[in-house]
Amino acid sequence: MSKEDPRVRTWSPVCEAVAALLGPYAEVVLHDAVTDRVLAIWNPMTQRGPGDESLLGELGDLAGRDVHGPYEKLLADGRRLSSVSAVLRDADGDAAAVLCVNLDRSTLDQAAALLSRFGAPATERPEPLFEQDWTERVHHVVGTFVRTRGRPVERLGREDRLAVLAELDEAGVFSMRRAVPVVADVLKVSRSTVYALLAEIRTSRSDS
C-alpha cells in the first residue's frame, strides 16, 4: 500500500480496524475513485494489490448514494462473498476513494447448514420407549399443548389447564403414584389446584 497517498493515511486506521475485527474472514480494500485503481488492501483474498485495476463500474454512478450493498460476489474458487462499499468524499463532496469490505461467507454457510440439520423435522416418536415412563409422557403432553397454544405454562388460563389435565387423565397419568405433585410442578400450580381441577373434570364426565 502507498502510505504516501493522503487518502491511505486518512482511512488506513479505519480499514485496519475493520480488518482486525473481521479477519481472517474479510478483505478490506481502499480504491481510488478517480483512477479506478486499488490504493491499499488488507487481508487480500486474491492476487490483486495496490495499483491494480479496481473495476468500480459495478457500483454505478458514484454521485448517488454513498453506501452500496450488501451485495453478493463470487471468487474463482466458488466462495461466496457478502460485500459492502462506501464512497468516501473530500471536503468538496467529490468521490475521492471507495472503501469495500468483502466478507467470506463460507464459514457462515457451513454453520447454517449444520444448524439446519439439527433443525430437521423429527420423525414419529417411538412410543414403546416411553410407555413405561409416565413422567416423560407428562412433559410430552404439556409441551405439545404449550406449543399449540403458543404461550408458556405460566400464562395458561383455567380452561387451558382443564384441557391439558383432561388429556393427562385420559392418558392414565393420574393412576401413577405421585403423579399429582409431578403434574403440579410441570404446570407451575399448587397440588390443591390440580386436585380441584381434576375433580371437576371427572364430575363433568360422570354427569355427561
Side-chain angles (χ1 to χ4, degrees):
M1 68 184 70
S2 175
K3 289 189 179 276
E4 298 302 318
D5 191 297
R7 293 165 297 181
V8 175
R9 289 199 303 270
T10 298
W11 295 104
S12 181
V14 175
C15 296
E16 289 180 12
V18 174
L21 177 65
L22 300 178
Y25 304 109
E27 171 188 74
V28 181
V29 189
L30 189 64
H31 301 277
D32 188 330
V34 178
T35 64
D36 198 26
R37 297 280 177 178
V38 174
L39 285 171
I41 188 167
W42 293 260
N43 294 335
M45 293 183 179
T46 63
Q47 296 300 315
R48 66 176 174 171
D52 290 340
E53 286 188 288
S54 297
L55 303 176
L56 291 177
E58 65 186 56
L59 297 180
D61 185 6
L62 296 182
R65 57 195 175 94
D66 287 344
V67 178
H68 301 257
Y71 51 91
E72 185 177 281
K73 297 172 68 174
L74 286 175
L75 293 180
D77 59 10
R79 283 181 292 169
R80 290 197 309 142
L81 306 179
S82 285
S83 303
V84 64
S85 299
V87 179
L88 309 178
R89 301 186 182 278
D90 58 25
D92 297 324
D94 296 323
V98 178
L99 170 62
C100 293
V101 180
N102 302 311
L103 179 67
D104 183 355
R105 293 186 52 85
S106 300
T107 302
L108 294 176
D109 290 341
Q110 291 169 8
L114 178 62
L115 290 173
S116 68
R117 287 196 291 272
F118 276 114
T123 58
E124 184 177 352
R125 199 172 79 136
E127 291 298 332
L129 296 179
F130 295 95
E131 60 184 3
Q132 298 301 321
D133 188 349
W134 63 270
T135 59
E136 175 66 27
R137 183 172 295 277
V138 170
H139 285 88
H140 180 71
V141 169
V142 175
T144 302
F145 189 90
V146 165
R147 286 177 62 87
T148 301
R149 293 299 190 277
R151 53 182 178 272
V153 290
E154 297 90 340
R155 293 180 56 194
L156 292 180
R158 185 174 182 280
E159 294 303 318
D160 293 326
R161 289 171 182 158
L162 284 169
V164 73
L165 287 173
E167 187 173 348
L168 289 170
D169 195 27
E170 290 174 0
V173 166
F174 293 107
S175 65
M176 308 303 297
R177 182 171 174 271
R178 290 190 52 78
V180 168
V182 171
V183 172
D185 184 62
V186 171
L187 290 179
K188 300 187 185 304
V189 297
S190 66
R191 299 181 188 182
S192 60
T193 297
V194 174
Y195 279 120
L197 294 176
L198 191 57
E200 183 177 338
I201 290 168
R202 291 173 174 173
T203 299
S204 176
R205 282 181 187 155
S206 63
D207 292 343
S208 58

